[in-house]
Every structure is written in structure tokens, then in C-alpha cells.
Amino acid sequence: MSTWAAILAGGSGTRFWPLSTAERPKQLLPLAGDRPLLAQSVARLRGLVPPERTLVLTGPFLVDRVAATVPEVPRGNIFAEPRAASTAPALAWAAHWIAKHDPGGQMLSLHADWAVGDDRAFRAAATHALDVAAEHDVLVTVGVKPSRSETAYGYIVPGKPIGSGRRVQRFIEKPSPARAALLRRRGALWNTGLFAWGVARFLGEAGAYARELAAGWAALSAGDVPRFFAAVTPVAVDVAVLERTKRLAVVAGTFPWDDIGSWDALLRIRKADTRGNVTVGNVTLSDDVRRSVIWSENEHVAVVGVQDTVVIRANGHTLVMPTGQAERLRAFVREL
């Protein structure tokens, strides 16, 4: 039984403006280290899924840049989504393509914009998820133990055992601070978005439950991908399939995980100095700068006397804002 991987690498990453642009979005930036996040994602699969069985789903204007970022992935494995329609249509397309080439294949789904602190533990969790999916003919999501009472993530409440995994009792999206703390105390897991399933089972469950895709199934079966994307209603796979299916399990991973949702995340995933600052590029700080993110792509940036601040200089623009303002930045960039 062959294992394939579908890496979701669309999206614009507006929360990382001005470094992130439409031509070079978050997944193509070296936010978690020296290499772009997408390159790290492909390398993380080494020994589990080879590049020739790795698919990358991205926007039509990013294909060349994706190909240059991960040259080990065959050009024919880079899929340009005709329009941004969230994750359910993209994964249905990927599963359908894999099923045509390898009907008995299994599939991992992952995002290109994560920070993962232990690649070996990541592969171990993915292998565990694939094993549970194959043994019990279920869809499997991988959760991790929360390290904080995060309100921006989705949580999974595990239920009864199913082999070495657990049934999913329910999903809870973006809880209040109080509820996030309660969920954490009661053993709920963060929903990482790392999924495993047999492609035949996933297509069966999507066909049964993902009503948002129903109008496009005939086009997908006929190989008319543009018509499929034109016909579907944009929807996340979590909503369209995972929250509706009766065949869902969760396994727990032990790897540190962060979805790098904003500049603030760099304070968690990059090594900070003794004053809690993360700096990248040609940056000079005074001794009283604390808990701040300062990133300069080219020019020299000097910062004096600030705390809990984000200062970014890139692509001819400068951003200065307090930490904790990711949602405001997203709306502000839309206005710009």
C-alpha cells in the first residue's frame, strides 16, 4: 500500500505583511528557520513519503515559485487550483487524482505553513495515523497536547478507543479563554490539520457528506477540474467531511506544533535573545527593548526603548504595531 502526501500551499498570508506578498506568500518565506516553510514541509516527509508521491496544491500564479522552492517534487505534481475554494475541494481533487493512479493508496494531508519542532516525532505520528486509518477503515486526524490556552485554534475532544486511537467525540473551534483553559485541563487536543486516510474511503465519505461539493462531482469524475472548482461551494474539509462523518478517529502526536498565524508566533518558534526579542536581518536594538519581533529584509533597522512590539521592514514598506494585533493587521492590509 503506497502512501502519498498532499501539501496545501495556497493562501496569501496577509498577517505577515509587508514581508509576505501575493507573489511570495507565507509558505514561501523562511519564517521558522533558514529555509522556506514549504521546503521544510517536503523535507519533513523524507523517509515516509518520497517527492515523487508528494502533491503540492497552490495558486495558479505560484506554480513557478513553488517549483523553484521544492525542485525535488516533479513539476507535474504541482497542482494549480483554478480558484481559491478552501481545503475540501483541493483535497477531493488530490484524492481523486491519487485514486486514478493508485486506487489502494493512502494519503496524508498537511499544510505548508506549519512550524514543527521534531520532524522524527511528526513522522511517527503520521505513521500511527496511517496505521489506524488502514486497520479500521476510518479517517484520522492528528492532535497534539496544547501548550497554552490558545483561543485561535480548533480543539478535539477524544472519545472511546478505536484500536490505538480514539473516536472523535466533538470539535470545538476557537473557544473563549475560559473554555480553552477548561478543554486543556480535560485532555482535549489541538487539531493540527494533519490528516490520514485511504483515498477510496475519503472520497466515499466526501461524496456522502460534503454537500458543498455535490454539484461538482460529475465534473471531477470526468476530469474537468476547472468545472469542478467552478461548481463547488468553498468549504474547509473539517466542516464538509470531518465534522459530519461517522468514521473519524484521532491519534495524539508528541511533536511541538505551531501554525504560525501571525508575527507574534515568531516569539514562540524562533530562538529569542536574553530579553525575549526575536531579530532577523540587519537589526540593532537598545538594551531596553523587550519581547519584540524585529525583521529587516535588507536595510538596517534600529529600535530603541520599545516593548511587546513588531517592527518589520520589507519590500519598501515598514510595519510597526504592538504584539497581539494580528486580526487588525489582516483588515488593515485589505484596506491597503
Side-chain angles (χ1 to χ4, degrees):
M1 184 183 297
S2 298
T3 300
W4 298 71
I7 301 179
L8 296 159
S12 57
T14 53
R15 287 191 182 94
F16 286 91
W17 185 87
L19 184 64
S20 176
T21 65
E23 297 77 25
R24 193 179 175 223
K26 177 171 72 165
Q27 60 272 23
L28 301 183
L29 297 174
L31 293 173
D34 296 333
R35 292 179 298 163
L37 294 172
L38 174 59
Q40 291 180 323
S41 297
V42 172
R44 190 170 294 126
L45 295 170
R46 193 171 294 137
L48 181 60
V49 183
E52 59 268 22
R53 291 204 302 271
T54 298
L55 311 180
V56 181
L57 295 102
T58 192
F61 302 111
L62 293 176
V63 171
D64 289 342
R65 287 183 177 269
V66 166
T69 301
V70 285
E72 63 269 41
V73 175
R75 179 78 178 216
N77 287 15
I78 302 172
F79 290 10
E81 299 171 51
R83 69 164 176 144
S86 196
T87 56
L91 292 177
W93 179 22
H96 183 265
W97 189 93
I98 293 168
K100 282 178 59 180
H101 292 80
D102 184 5
Q106 283 190 293
M107 172 179 162
L108 287 173
S109 168
L110 58 151
H111 290 253
D113 55 0
W114 296 335
V116 173
D118 185 336
D119 287 357
R120 183 177 295 181
F122 178 91
R123 290 189 292 271
T127 300
H128 184 194
L130 288 164
D131 289 345
V132 171
E135 184 177 354
H136 299 281
D137 194 23
V138 292
L139 314 182
V140 181
T141 181
V142 176
V144 294
K145 184 178 179 180
S147 59
R148 60 189 184 278
S149 300
E150 177 63 61
T151 60
Y153 291 171
Y155 288 72
I156 298 169
V157 178
K160 295 179 179 179
I162 174 171
S164 58
R166 305 279 292 275
R167 297 278 184 186
V168 172
Q169 185 172 321
R170 68 181 181 277
F171 290 98
I172 298 170
E173 279 298 314
K174 299 182 178 180
S176 67
R179 194 176 190 196
L182 180 62
L183 288 166
R184 186 179 172 193
R185 289 197 300 271
R186 291 183 174 177
L189 303 171
W190 279 341
N191 184 11
T192 65
L194 174 60
F195 305 133
W197 45 59
V199 290
R201 171 52 62 195
F202 174 73
L203 289 170
E205 297 303 289
Y209 293 103
R211 51 184 175 271
E212 296 87 350
L213 308 185
W217 277 122
L220 184 61
S221 299
D224 190 339
V225 175
R227 192 157 62 90
F228 168 68
F229 271 82
V232 301
T233 300
V235 64
V237 71
D238 309 61
V239 173
V241 182
L242 302 187
E243 293 181 7
R244 297 170 182 168
T245 179
K246 304 299 188 290
R247 292 178 171 269
L248 183 64
V250 59
V251 301
T254 59
F255 52 93
W257 171 87
D258 199 297
D259 78 346
I260 322 183
S262 68
W263 282 114
D264 298 12
L266 271 59
L267 295 169
R268 298 190 297 267
I269 65 173
R270 279 185 170 264
K271 185 175 177 59
D273 66 19
T274 55
R275 296 180 294 276
N277 303 303
V278 169
T279 62
V280 177
N282 188 5
V283 172
T284 304
L285 307 181
S286 64
D287 290 342
D288 53 352
V289 176
R290 298 282 190 276
R291 300 176 302 278
S292 295
V293 177
I294 300 93
W295 185 306
S296 178
E297 195 168 33
N298 293 304
E299 295 103 334
H300 174 245
V301 170
V303 179
V304 177
V306 303
Q307 298 182 1
D308 305 303
T309 301
V310 174
V311 180
I312 312 297
R313 175 66 183 171
N315 295 311
H317 301 281
T318 302
L319 168 70
V320 180
M321 69 175 184
T323 54
Q325 300 292 317
E327 287 302 324
R328 290 187 64 189
L329 176 61
R330 191 176 193 180
F332 186 64
V333 172
R334 286 200 194 99
E335 294 176 13
L336 289 175

